[in-house]
DNA sequence: TTGAAAGCGCTAACAT
DNA sequence: ATGTTAGCGCTTTCAA
């Protein structure tokens, strides 16, 4: 029967109490005698009543909606963030408004949209201009930058040690006999890529690898292929490829094997980044870096909540450990000892 | 300056007009003299005013939010739907509330959540019980089922000809010399899988293929691997594998090549479904079926809008053509003519 | 504990 | 064309 949804007034009338009594029964800290409560609940049940969240929002001044900005790449290769964010947010009964931006764009427009929609806070996994960042502050909307740096103070930040983990990558490579790495990145506008690159360059010097040759390309499969092809004239001058994304790594491997007739990992070792599903395919078994996205997003939300409670507090900066996953695109210890003795 | 956001009253006062004048200026069909309009716009600009969508929703009785239910599989392998839906919805200034359900679950809970949030309509790409379907109707919330069937009348439906396209798949396979196909599906609770299976079975009879052996497994890479392994004792009895998803197809290919020492496509041809990114990797070059997700979602939204306009109208059922994409896991015409002559 | 009443910020019918 | 007013469905003081 599709008549209009019941309101708290309908429930009140049926239960023979005031509307505010109904409101109290449905409020976490409402006080009501168990007698009223029972009457109200019965009436509510009979009418199929549930409080209207929109009216609630208007009254409370909080929309109970969170905003999430992710790049298309993230959305495609990390099923986790969306799902994680959704789970955490839903748990408290809130909703999630998602905006997807192209990898090459910043999140400014997306954030502005979310601000217009009056979200309570924003998680942003895309770069953001100083202006857009300030707009959040002016609107008193907590902003948490995920795997990006904040353009101005007062903004919480959380992410993986994108540069730091490269030390481990460099050590692994050195240990497995590689000496001359190439880095495939996504360009200077891609923050995580820049960090990963910097990390590799610094670590290479420390562990004794040659200074990496750095190449930029699209952050995807085709980008990896294109970059690798452009390296064809240099075959023999490098023995490892480190990429800023798994998609690029997989593209690189395909070209290495099928077009350049090189063996992975015997001739060239490859390390990716992100641990996407395809990296586990038997055809690749890609050595890569996995970020703990679930923790990142869960804690990002905690940060936002705490900021909402005390908007004036100093910004926090959290780093969630990531992990190097060894698979078959780096040589096994046994093989590498052969390499090293030769 | 983080003072409270300006309301239409603030603007009205500053502009020296009534609050309703402000409302009119910001309404699509509001009438206002260009003089008032100018004053209002100036004041609004000065105060950084934008209408509060929550108050608007309460007043209008429409939340201007749409609900989307997708399975984890879809969200992971189809970046398109979310992005498409988002684009189409955003264009009209609305928001999108997404719910992700596990492949094995139905969308009932997700839909109920969305109903509580008072979305204006729901796009559901997960199966839905009769009950949940009725709850949408009772709440006067248009529901569009995407690539699933509706459990009761009055519900719009849109999707690909999941069974129909299998005729083309069967013909291709026959043409390329295959005679004995195996079908790898996702189980009876997976509607698209069931349809694709039915389509293949029917088409096989028509074009002269042997009745397909049907196997169910998880809808993903590991499922494809497991299913293929279980077929090891039957090597030689089949010459084609058709799967309900690309992920399964890729898993099957890896086992075929690496564990069963079979050649794809020479010994066994493989056809997947969905055209996921990994299918384009050079290591696979998977022949597959592509659905026009963008059109599906765009038109689904149109359906929902039209239903909202006239909730009583009869249900519509739209089919958006899909397309068989031939790549390298089916033999090329040249090879197959060899096959056929031998 | 309970009820009455004043908002929250907007839209829309009504009157001018 | 513009202003006045009554909602939309809640939460939350304030009294009782």
């Amino acid at each position: 029967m599709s008549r209009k949804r019941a309101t708290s007034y309908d429930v009140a009338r049926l239960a023979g109490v005031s509307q505010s009594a109904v409101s109290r029964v449905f409020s976490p800290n409402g006080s009501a005698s168990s007698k009223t409560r029972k009457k109200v609940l019965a009436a509510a049940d009979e009418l199929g009543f549930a409080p209207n969240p929109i009216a609630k929002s208007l009254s409370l001044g909080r929309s109970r909606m969170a905003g999430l900005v992710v790049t298309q790449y993230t959305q495609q290769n990390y099923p986790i963030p969306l799902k994680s964010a959704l789970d955490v947010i839903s748990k408290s009964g809130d909703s999630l408004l998602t905006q997807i931006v192209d990898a090459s764009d910043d999140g400014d427009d997306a954030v502005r949209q979310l601000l217009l929609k009056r979200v309570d806070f924003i998680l942003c996994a895309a770069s953001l201009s100083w202006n857009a960042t300030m707009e959040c502050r002016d609107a008193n909307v907590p902003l948490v930058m995920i795997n990006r740096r904040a353009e101005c103070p007062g903004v919480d930040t959380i992410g993986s040690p994108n540069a730091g983990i490269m030390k481990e990558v460099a050590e692994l490579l050195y240990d497995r006999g590689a000496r001359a790495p190439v880095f495939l990145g996504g360009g200077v506008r891609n923050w995580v890529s820049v960090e990963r690159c910097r990390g590799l360059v610094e670590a290479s010097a420390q562990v004794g690898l040659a200074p990496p040759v750095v190449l930029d390309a699209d952050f995807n499969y085709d980008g990896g292929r294109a970059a690798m092809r452009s390296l064809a004239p240099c075959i023999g001058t490098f023995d490892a490829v480190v990429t800023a994304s798994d998609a690029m790594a997989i593209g690189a491997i395909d070209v290495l094997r099928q077009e350049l007739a090189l063996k992975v990992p015997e001739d060239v070792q490859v390390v990716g980044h992100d641990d996407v599903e395809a990296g586990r395919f038997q055809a690749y078994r890609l050595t890569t870096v996995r970020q703990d996205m679930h923790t990142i997003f869960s804690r990002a939300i905690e940060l936002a909540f705490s900021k909402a409670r005390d908007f004036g507090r100093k910004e926090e900066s959290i780093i969630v450990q990531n992990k190097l996953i060894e698979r078959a695109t780096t040589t096994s210890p046994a093989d590498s000892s052969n390499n090293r003795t030769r």
Side-chain angles (χ1 to χ4, degrees), chain A:
Chain A
M1 301 300 101
S2 73
R3 58 176 161 295
K4 266 176 66 57
R5 295 192 72 113
T7 72
S8 56
Y9 284 94
D10 302 325
V11 176
R13 200 176 316 122
L14 207 167
V17 298
S18 75
Q19 180 272 334
S20 32
V22 178
S23 174
R24 288 193 186 97
V25 169
F26 281 90
S27 289
N29 40 10
S31 52
S33 68
S34 67
K35 204 169 155 184
T36 345
R37 178 175 302 272
K38 202 177 297 179
K39 281 194 296 185
V40 167
L41 256 19
D45 188 55
E46 183 174 338
L47 297 176
F49 167 81
N52 183 330
I54 297 173
K56 201 178 220 166
S57 295
L58 182 59
S59 178
L60 250 31
R62 300 189 303 122
S63 64
R64 308 217 49 169
M65 298 190 304
L68 172 65
V69 180
V70 292
T71 61
Q72 179 72 48
Y73 176 87
T74 300
Q75 127 79 0
Q76 192 162 162
N77 290 294
Y78 279 114
I80 320 290
L82 224 191
K83 177 80 165 136
S84 291
L86 221 40
D87 287 347
V88 181
I89 299 270
S90 306
K91 201 159 293 172
S92 49
D94 296 10
S95 314
L96 217 220
L97 253 40
T98 307
Q99 298 274 337
I100 300 174
V101 305
D102 290 338
S104 50
D105 292 354
D106 58 35
D108 287 20
D109 286 343
V111 163
R112 292 200 177 100
Q113 286 299 321
L114 293 172
L115 250 20
L116 283 179
K117 304 275 172 61
R118 300 294 206 275
V119 294
D120 293 332
F121 60 87
I122 295 177
L123 309 181
C124 183
S127 58
L128 217 55
S129 73
W130 191 86
N131 270 335
T133 308
M134 287 307 282
E135 286 170 33
C136 290
R137 225 194 52 169
D138 291 349
N140 272 299
V141 174
L143 168 67
V144 180
M145 296 300 289
I146 295 181
N147 254 337
R148 325 276 138 156
R149 85 171 147 216
E151 286 300 324
C152 47
V155 175
D156 293 336
T157 276
I158 189 168
S160 306
N162 284 298
I165 190 73
M166 282 305 169
K167 179 81 183 292
E168 285 182 43
V169 171
E171 279 167 354
L172 177 76
L173 252 16
Y174 186 91
D175 188 51
R176 298 306 154 76
R179 290 297 177 268
V182 168
F183 180 83
L184 264 42
V188 291
R189 306 200 44 201
N190 186 317
W191 172 247
V192 290
S193 175
V194 169
E195 281 297 288
R196 289 164 192 173
C197 182
R198 183 173 67 77
L200 182 67
V201 169
E202 291 177 5
S204 294
Q206 289 172 31
V207 306
L209 295 175
V213 171
V214 175
L215 236 70
D216 279 326
D218 288 342
F219 211 61
N220 53 32
Y221 178 74
D222 288 327
R225 290 172 58 92
M228 210 59 238
R229 283 210 189 95
S230 73
L231 241 33
C234 315
I235 287 181
T237 67
F238 61 91
D239 53 17
V241 174
V242 178
T243 68
S245 78
D246 276 356
M248 296 182 91
I250 291 173
I253 292 173
D254 278 350
V255 168
L256 243 15
R257 287 182 177 156
Q258 302 185 11
E259 299 180 21
L260 306 182
L262 255 23
K263 285 188 172 167
V264 176
E266 293 83 351
D267 300 324
V268 178
Q269 306 191 43
V270 177
V271 179
H273 210 116
D274 289 342
D275 192 25
V276 307
E277 191 192 16
R280 294 187 304 112
F281 292 171
Q282 292 300 304
Y284 301 108
R285 311 224 324 100
L286 179 64
T287 294
T288 189
V289 174
R290 178 193 296 162
Q291 310 185 60
D292 183 356
M293 281 301 198
H294 189 77
T295 300
I296 289 181
F297 274 79
S298 308
R299 303 206 52 190
I301 292 170
E302 289 171 14
L303 279 177
F305 277 145
S306 95
K307 185 90 181 175
R309 243 174 279 124
D310 171 17
F311 198 77
R313 78 150 160 71
K314 200 179 172 316
E315 74 267 16
E316 286 192 43
S317 214
I318 298 185
I319 291 188
V320 177
Q321 283 313 307
N322 47 7
K323 197 162 79 184
L324 177 55
I325 314 250
E326 243 191 293
R327 286 198 280 246
T329 55
T330 41
T331 57
S332 73
D335 296 344
S336 62
S337 57
N338 290 344
N339 280 350
R340 258 179 294 172
T341 53
R342 99 189 121 117

